[in-house]
Amino acid sequence: MTQAKRDKIAPVSIFFLLYISRIVVSMTTVQSTSVSLMNTDFLISVLASMGATLLLSLPAIYCYKKHKNPFDIKWVGFFYSLYFIFIAGINISRFSYFASTTLNPNSQAWMFSIIVAACAFYGAYLGIEGLSRFSAFGFSLLVASILAALILNLQNYQEINLYPVIRNSNDEMINNILTMTGNSTELALFLCLSKKVNGRAVKPYVWSLIASFFSLFVLVLFVNAVMGDAASLQVFPIYTLFQYAKIGLFERIDVLYISFWIFGIFTKSVLLIYCSGIAFRPMKKSTKCVISASLAFIVSLIFTELVQVNTLPQIVNFAPFAVFGVIIPLLALIFKKRNYGDELVEKF
């Protein structure tokens, strides 16, 4: 039986955390940075992206198994910290864009960025144990919301809307695959959190990716079957899918979408700010959380006030993923010495 340890989380918790992280960013990517029409062939891109992400995860997985974690190298950890802050800022800016354009068009995006950044600081300061408990609730809400939207949209499901299957060009499909794969920060998060898991971490990580991509696949399937060509006209098609769902005479249930996105962006932001603190060690905890949350807020301002995040070239999304998710773990796997301390801890 696995005993509870302070500042450690159960393997199922890392599944919850990484599932939420992946599904939130996947849905955001589909809604705001898709480079093609929202058609049935987008489903092929989702499956291909899942396969590519799992394949590119192999260096990180073997780093974990061989006890060659790149986070053991202090100067490498510093750059990972900057990477997590950058990604946190992008995710905050995406939510702020949604909130200021859809939820309350009369508000300013920076106001939502401040709120999310402040909550991220507070959550990161509380630590991984509190976040893991919160993630179980967030996961339950997320799954319940998705199931509710799918069940209530069965009456609107029209298979004819799924044809023709292939409408986007090969280049557009490849760009979609690169976009979704390049937003996979979970590889780096897995390496960072692996030492915090009180047990094996590989299976929860792999299943979190499979489950999140499967959830996205089903949602995109319903988006196309329910809305048809109109899906490409929606800035936030999955949000529109929730608006289509109704319970009898009651109002539409898009409030569920808003609720789980708020929970999801909170979990994702806290996780990134917390991991940035782990990666950059020579400071006390509160100072690291303040600095990381503040820098993430500044990054979010850049992408809401100066540059639209959905206008960035693909290289901006994919290059950081390739460097921190694939190349650095691969180099660590080849050149880094084995950490025998971790191996002894694992055995005893």
Side-chain angles (χ1 to χ4, degrees), residues 106-166:
N106 296 323
S107 61
Q108 298 294 321
W110 62 265
M111 296 172 58
F112 295 100
S113 296
I114 289 179
I115 295 172
V116 177
C119 292
F121 157 74
Y122 177 70
Y125 180 74
L126 291 180
I128 191 65
E129 293 176 273
L131 180 60
S132 67
R133 289 190 291 269
F134 180 83
S135 67
F137 172 71
F139 173 80
S140 301
L141 176 64
L142 177 57
V143 172
S145 301
I146 292 175
L147 288 176
L150 297 180
I151 293 172
L152 295 174
N153 268 302
L154 285 175
Q155 59 183 345
N156 302 320
Y157 189 97
Q158 298 184 35
E159 188 178 351
I160 190 64
N161 288 333
L162 298 176
Y163 300 99
V165 175
I166 305 296

Side-chain angles (χ1 to χ4, degrees), residues 231-305:
S232 297
L233 304 177
Q234 307 299 320
V235 179
F236 301 98
I238 296 180
Y239 173 67
T240 306
L241 180 68
F242 276 75
Q243 290 181 314
Y244 273 80
K246 295 182 179 180
I247 305 176
L249 299 177
F250 290 95
E251 295 292 332
R252 57 181 187 256
I253 64 167
D254 53 310
V255 65
L256 292 178
Y257 178 90
I258 297 169
S259 299
F260 80 65
W261 199 355
I262 291 174
F263 279 110
I265 198 64
F266 171 77
T267 303
K268 175 82 171 182
S269 301
V270 171
L271 191 59
L272 288 166
I273 298 301
Y274 175 80
C275 287
S276 71
I278 295 177
F280 187 58
R281 286 172 277 186
M283 282 185 185
K284 64 180 183 178
K285 183 179 179 180
S286 58
T287 304
K288 290 189 291 187
C289 291
V290 169
I291 292 175
S292 297
S294 299
L295 291 175
F297 169 67
I298 293 173
V299 172
S300 70
L301 283 184
I302 294 174
F303 288 119
T304 53
E305 305 298 330

Side-chain angles (χ1 to χ4, degrees), residues 8-321:
K8 295 281 187 177
I9 59 175
V12 69
S13 294
I14 197 172
F15 169 82
F16 292 152
L17 289 169
L18 296 183
Y19 174 87
I20 294 172
S21 172
R22 177 69 256 186
I23 191 67
V24 166
V25 73
S26 293
M27 296 168 80
T28 307
T29 300
V30 169
Q31 293 151 17
S32 60
T33 60
S34 173
V35 295
S36 67
L37 297 175
M38 177 65 73
N39 291 314
T40 308
D41 54 26
F42 203 96
L43 298 171
I44 301 174
S45 298
V46 172
L47 294 178
S49 178
M50 180 182 70
T53 305
L54 289 172
L55 181 63
L56 294 173
S57 296
L58 291 178
I61 290 174
Y62 277 101
C63 277
Y64 169 78
K65 289 188 172 182
K66 299 294 183 181
H67 304 285
K68 294 184 176 184
N69 198 322
F71 282 86
D72 294 334
I73 307 172
K74 291 184 178 180
W75 66 269
V76 174
F78 170 74
F79 288 103
Y80 269 103
S81 179
L82 296 179
Y83 169 63
F84 289 139
I85 291 170
F86 174 73
I87 298 299
I90 288 180
N91 280 273
I92 292 172
S93 68
R94 285 174 177 166
F95 175 77
S96 300
Y97 173 75
F98 167 75
S100 61
T101 57
T102 304
L103 295 184
N104 189 356
N106 296 323
S107 61
Q108 298 294 321
W110 62 265
M111 296 172 58
F112 295 100
S113 296
I114 289 179
I115 295 172
V116 177
C119 292
F121 157 74
Y122 177 70
Y125 180 74
L126 291 180
I128 191 65
E129 293 176 273
L131 180 60
S132 67
R133 289 190 291 269
F134 180 83
S135 67
F137 172 71
F139 173 80
S140 301
L141 176 64
L142 177 57
V143 172
S145 301
I146 292 175
L147 288 176
L150 297 180
I151 293 172
L152 295 174
N153 268 302
L154 285 175
Q155 59 183 345
N156 302 320
Y157 189 97
Q158 298 184 35
E159 188 178 351
I160 190 64
N161 288 333
L162 298 176
Y163 300 99
V165 175
I166 305 296
R167 298 179 66 181
N168 289 309
S169 67
N170 291 336
D171 289 342
E172 289 173 329
M173 293 176 66
I174 291 173
N175 281 333
N176 284 331
I177 295 171
L178 292 177
T179 298
M180 285 184 282
T181 305
N183 278 275
S184 299
T185 56
E186 288 67 37
L187 283 73
L189 290 172
F190 162 72
L191 283 173
C192 185
L193 293 172
S194 59
K195 290 186 177 182
K196 297 291 183 179
V197 180
N198 189 21
R200 302 289 184 175
V202 173
K203 285 186 178 179
Y205 164 70
V206 171
W207 280 112
S208 70
L209 288 182
I210 294 174
S212 59
F213 273 106
F214 175 76
S215 300
L216 180 62
F217 179 90
V218 176
L219 284 169
V220 173
L221 174 66
F222 267 73
V223 163
N224 284 284
V226 171
M227 287 182 274
D229 291 340
S232 297
L233 304 177
Q234 307 299 320
V235 179
F236 301 98
I238 296 180
Y239 173 67
T240 306
L241 180 68
F242 276 75
Q243 290 181 314
Y244 273 80
K246 295 182 179 180
I247 305 176
L249 299 177
F250 290 95
E251 295 292 332
R252 57 181 187 256
I253 64 167
D254 53 310
V255 65
L256 292 178
Y257 178 90
I258 297 169
S259 299
F260 80 65
W261 199 355
I262 291 174
F263 279 110
I265 198 64
F266 171 77
T267 303
K268 175 82 171 182
S269 301
V270 171
L271 191 59
L272 288 166
I273 298 301
Y274 175 80
C275 287
S276 71
I278 295 177
F280 187 58
R281 286 172 277 186
M283 282 185 185
K284 64 180 183 178
K285 183 179 179 180
S286 58
T287 304
K288 290 189 291 187
C289 291
V290 169
I291 292 175
S292 297
S294 299
L295 291 175
F297 169 67
I298 293 173
V299 172
S300 70
L301 283 184
I302 294 174
F303 288 119
T304 53
E305 305 298 330
L306 301 179
V307 181
Q308 288 294 328
V309 69
N310 57 330
T311 62
L312 295 176
Q314 292 294 330
I315 191 67
V316 176
N317 287 321
F318 194 81
F321 159 78

